[in-house]
Amino acid sequence: MFNKLFNFTQNHTQFLYNNSLIIQNIDKFIYLSIIAVFAASTIFPSDYIGLIAVFTTLMTIVKLLFVKGQKLETTGAEIWLLAYFMIVIISLAGSSLFLLSLKGFLKTLIYMGFYLSVAHFLRNNKDKIFSIFLTIGLCVSFEGIMGFLQNFAHVEEISTWQDVSKLNPEEVMTRVYGTLKPYNPNLLGGYFVAGIPALYAVVAALFMDKKYNLAAIGGICAAISSAALFLTGCRGSYIGMMVILGGTFLVSAKYLWHSYKAIYISIVGGCAALLTSAILLSASLRARILSIFAMRQDSSNSFRFNVYQSSFNMFKENWLLGIGCGNKNFREIYGIYMRTGFDALSAYNIFLEIAVESGIFALIAFLGFLITTLKDGINILLKSTDTKQVIFLSAAVISICAIMIHGLVDTVFFRPQLQFIFWTMVAVISSFKKNYQG
C-alpha cells in the first residue's frame, strides 16, 4: 500500500526532484543527521536528540515520496516489529492514563522512525557503515576519557548509587557517569555496552586495511573505554562486557584459530589474566563484583527484587494489553502495587517492562523480532566470505546481545543514547539481510 503511494507521488512530482538540490542530495542530509544523533547523544538532553532523529525520519519520508525508484522492503524480523508496534498502539488506546501513555508512545514512534531511516539509508549506502561506527566509536572514546578524568578527580555521587553500609573505605568505588544526561553511571555503563562493539569493529577494519597507526590509536581508545566501563560500577554492564569479550573472541577465532592458534590463545589468556589481576588488585572493583552474588544482602539487589515482584503483580492484572507506554505512566500506576519505600521509575528488566506496558502479545512480538534479527545476523555471518561484512555484522550481533543481557537487570535500554545505537545495529543486520533476499 505504501509503495503504491510512493510510486504515485514519485511519478507525479518529478519536476520537484529535477529542480530541488535538497531532494537531489537527500542522502547527504540523512547521513549527516544520523551522525548528528550520535554526536548529540553525548552532551544534549533527550529532547534535543529526539528532534534530530525526527529530522532524520522526515528526510527519509521526503526521499520515499519524491526520489524515483525508492520503496520500502521488509524482512521477517520487521514483520514481527510491525506486529509489536501495532500492539503498542492498541495498548495506548486502552490505557487508563492516555495522555501520559501517549508521551511514551511518541518516543517509541521516534525510535521506530529512526530505525526505518537508518535501515533504508544503509540498504544502498553500506559504505557508510564504517563512518557511522567510527562516529559511535569516537563518542564512546570521548566518554571513556571523561570517565577516567572523573575517576581521578573522585567525583561526588549525585545520588545513592551503591550500598556502602558494609564496605570498608577502600572498597567504596568512585562511580563515573560521563557527560550523558541525565547523569547516571548505569546509563554510562549501558552506553559502553552498546557502543564498544562498534569501536572494536572500527579497529578491526582499520587493521584489515593495513592502516596500522590508526588501528593502534583505535586500540588504545578501545582499551580506555573498556576499562572505563568497569569504573562505572554498573554490575549489569560488567556482565554485558563479558558477552562482548566472549563474542569478540568467538568471531576472531574464525580467522585466527587455524593459522595463528598460539597468538590467539596468548591474546585470550592475556586478556583473562589482565581482567583477573584488575579484580584482585582493586578492592573496590572486587567488592562491586562480589555484590552481584550477595542477593538480598545488598540493598541494590534487594530493591530490584522488590521492584520485580511488584512489576510482575502489575503484569498479572494487566497481562493482555498492559498499562500503556512510558516511564511516567509506569510510575503513576506502580504506586498502587509497590512495597512501601521501594518507589521505582521502571521494572528494571527490559522484557518485564515491555510486558507490563503493552501486554503479553507485545512481549511475544518483541521476542520474535529479536530472535529473528539475531538469527538473520548469525546466518549471514556463517555464510559470508566478506571479511568487512563479517566485522560489521558481528559487532551488530554482539552489541544487541550485550544490550539485552544488560537489560535483564536494568532499563537504561529505554534511554535515547542506547536506543539509537540499538536500532542502528538492527538496521545494519536488516540492510545485509535485504541484500541476501535480493
Side-chain angles (χ1 to χ4, degrees), residues 97-264:
L97 297 173
F98 180 79
L99 291 179
L100 287 179
S101 185
L102 180 61
K103 293 180 180 179
F105 171 77
L106 290 176
K107 293 179 182 178
T108 302
L109 183 62
I110 291 172
Y111 297 143
M112 295 295 103
F114 184 78
Y115 163 70
L116 170 70
S117 300
V118 179
H120 189 266
F121 174 78
L122 291 181
R123 190 182 71 179
N124 297 313
N125 295 280
K126 290 185 181 60
D127 58 310
K128 295 295 191 294
I129 292 178
F130 175 82
S131 54
I132 290 174
F133 275 24
L134 176 61
T135 302
I136 296 173
L138 289 173
C139 293
V140 168
S141 300
F142 170 74
E143 292 298 333
I145 294 169
M146 290 302 299
F148 264 90
L149 293 175
Q150 289 176 347
N151 181 68
F152 290 129
H154 296 288
V155 290
E156 295 288 335
E157 289 187 357
I158 298 175
S159 60
T160 305
W161 285 333
Q162 60 183 319
D163 183 0
V164 298
S165 60
K166 299 178 183 179
L167 298 178
N168 295 323
E170 68 274 9
E171 294 177 326
V172 177
M173 174 177 280
T174 298
R175 299 190 62 187
V176 304
Y177 47 83
T179 64
L180 305 181
K181 294 179 176 62
Y183 298 133
N184 187 320
N186 286 350
L187 174 57
L188 180 60
Y191 182 75
F192 281 137
V193 166
I196 281 177
L199 182 53
Y200 287 179
V202 168
V203 174
L206 288 172
F207 188 82
M208 195 193 78
D209 288 339
K210 298 182 179 180
K211 297 178 181 178
Y212 299 123
N213 291 336
L214 291 176
I217 295 172
I220 294 171
C221 290
I224 291 173
S225 301
S226 300
L229 180 147
F230 290 94
L231 298 178
T232 65
C234 175
R235 296 168 297 175
S237 70
Y238 294 174
I239 301 171
M241 188 63 191
M242 295 303 103
V243 174
I244 292 172
L245 292 175
T248 301
F249 289 138
L250 191 63
V251 173
S252 61
K254 178 179 179 180
Y255 297 97
L256 300 178
W257 183 256
H258 293 293
S259 301
Y260 306 98
K261 184 176 180 180
I263 296 176
Y264 176 79

Side-chain angles (χ1 to χ4, degrees), residues 190-359:
Y191 182 75
F192 281 137
V193 166
I196 281 177
L199 182 53
Y200 287 179
V202 168
V203 174
L206 288 172
F207 188 82
M208 195 193 78
D209 288 339
K210 298 182 179 180
K211 297 178 181 178
Y212 299 123
N213 291 336
L214 291 176
I217 295 172
I220 294 171
C221 290
I224 291 173
S225 301
S226 300
L229 180 147
F230 290 94
L231 298 178
T232 65
C234 175
R235 296 168 297 175
S237 70
Y238 294 174
I239 301 171
M241 188 63 191
M242 295 303 103
V243 174
I244 292 172
L245 292 175
T248 301
F249 289 138
L250 191 63
V251 173
S252 61
K254 178 179 179 180
Y255 297 97
L256 300 178
W257 183 256
H258 293 293
S259 301
Y260 306 98
K261 184 176 180 180
I263 296 176
Y264 176 79
I265 293 176
S266 299
I267 293 173
V268 174
C271 290
L274 183 62
L275 185 60
T276 303
S277 299
I279 295 171
L280 293 175
L281 295 174
S282 173
S284 59
L285 179 59
R286 184 169 63 252
R288 193 66 184 158
I289 292 175
L290 290 176
S291 70
I292 296 174
F293 309 99
M295 304 305 286
R296 285 279 185 180
Q297 299 302 311
D298 181 85
S299 64
S300 180
N301 294 348
S302 184
F303 170 78
R304 277 171 167 75
F305 291 141
N306 290 326
V307 174
Y308 295 152
Q309 185 178 17
S310 299
S311 298
F312 187 71
N313 290 335
M314 291 172 67
F315 167 68
K316 285 195 298 183
E317 294 191 13
N318 303 274
W319 65 272
L320 185 61
L321 294 176
I323 63 173
C325 293
N327 64 305
K328 292 183 179 179
N329 186 62
F330 177 95
R331 190 169 189 181
E332 287 293 325
I333 298 179
Y334 177 80
I336 302 172
Y337 298 87
M338 77 174 187
R339 293 184 60 177
T340 304
F342 292 93
D343 192 13
L345 296 173
S346 64
Y348 285 91
N349 179 291
I350 292 173
F351 307 103
L352 182 56
E353 182 84 19
I354 291 172
V356 168
E357 290 188 0
S358 304

